[in-house]
Amino acid sequence: MHMQPALFSESWARAWSEALNSSASYREAAASWRWPLVVVAEGSASWHLDLYEGRCRSIRQADEQDREECDYVISGPIGAWEEILGGDSAPLVAIMQGKLRLERGSMVKLTRYTAAAREMLQAAVRVSSTPARSESTGNGAASPSAADHASRKRTGFRTTSAGGLDRDSFPMQLYQKAKKLGIWNPADIDLSHDREDWKQLQPDERDVLLRLIAMF
């Protein structure tokens, strides 16, 4: 039976690098990325990735000098990385939530590479099996791997029907009641000043704001 390498081990890092270099999707999404990256898992290991134009030219264990000088450094506890590789969180969202820290680098620039970050994550998921999830649980059953967890289809989401919102539904009734009896109605907010502010933004500033808003 093929055993996946433990998360953040040397064999895992090599497999991740190989997965990146064999991914056409990552190569396309990161075609203009030209900065090395250090990934730090507190309580485990740190890795320096020499990333350039859609390729991982090398990967090695990072040291303190790398963390001080590398263009981009992302760090966090091993549990946060397990969450991300389990599909419970996206890297940039985890940074904004404080689960991960961007120690070095520009968040503005990073948000332009959400597709590349997603492809990097998928490559890591394909080679990952976190220690906690690969061990037996209390009832003797094996916990799912990060790859299994990420590929599991979610069924709890709901969307509006083709006919639009059901305004007779209980949540909508509560919303209407809150507007009537509450402090303010969102529809009453004057957004004209915001509209003028938006016009004053540079194209790259608008791009960053739209990408951040889309994450919510």
Side-chain angles (χ1 to χ4, degrees):
M1 181 178 177
H2 176 68
M3 297 294 293
Q4 291 174 308
L7 183 62
F8 276 84
S9 65
E10 184 174 353
S11 56
W12 174 87
R14 286 199 305 269
W16 186 23
S17 174
E18 292 169 2
L20 287 174
N21 287 331
S22 63
S23 171
S25 299
Y26 171 71
R27 193 155 49 248
E28 180 180 355
S32 59
W33 180 272
R34 299 182 178 88
W35 305 276
L37 167 70
V38 169
V39 175
V40 180
E42 295 160 2
S44 183
S46 306
W47 294 97
H48 177 284
L49 293 85
D50 182 5
L51 304 174
Y52 190 81
E53 296 185 349
R55 302 286 297 178
C56 181
R57 299 191 293 193
S58 68
I59 188 167
R60 58 175 173 77
Q61 198 151 3
D63 55 28
E64 286 302 317
Q65 184 174 355
D66 290 324
R67 291 184 66 170
E68 293 175 2
E69 298 178 356
C70 193
D71 293 83
Y72 282 87
V73 178
I74 301 176
S75 65
I78 189 68
W81 289 109
E82 288 178 1
E83 267 190 37
I84 291 170
L85 293 175
D88 296 327
S89 182
L92 297 185
V93 174
I95 291 174
M96 288 187 288
Q97 292 176 336
K99 295 178 180 179
L100 298 179
R101 296 184 304 279
L102 182 62
E103 293 185 4
R104 292 182 61 84
S106 167
M107 185 64 182
V108 172
K109 186 181 293 184
L110 202 59
T111 56
R112 300 175 188 170
Y113 291 91
T114 53
R118 181 176 64 249
E119 295 302 330
M120 283 190 71
L121 171 63
Q122 290 303 317
V125 167
R126 288 195 293 273
V127 300
S128 297
S129 176
T130 63
R133 287 175 176 152
S134 62
E135 295 172 356
S136 296
T137 59
N139 59 11
S143 299
S145 69
D148 293 335
H149 187 75
S151 63
R152 188 182 304 140
K153 291 184 178 180
R154 301 182 184 271
T155 59
F157 297 115
R158 296 291 183 269
T159 60
T160 58
S161 67
L165 293 172
D166 179 5
R167 300 192 179 279
D168 293 326
S169 66
F170 183 62
M172 286 301 293
Q173 291 179 37
L174 288 178
Y175 172 64
Q176 297 299 331
K177 184 177 180 180
K179 289 198 301 181
K180 186 176 181 179
L181 304 177
I183 299 174
W184 56 277
N185 180 358
D188 293 336
I189 299 176
D190 181 8
L191 298 177
S192 58
H193 193 279
D194 299 82
R195 189 178 298 110
E196 294 304 315
D197 288 341
W198 176 261
K199 293 178 180 179
Q200 302 302 317
L201 295 176
Q202 297 299 316
D204 58 338
E205 293 174 321
R206 294 186 187 183
D207 180 67
V208 169
L209 283 175
L210 290 173
R211 291 175 186 273
L212 290 174
I213 293 170
M215 294 179 185
F216 295 94

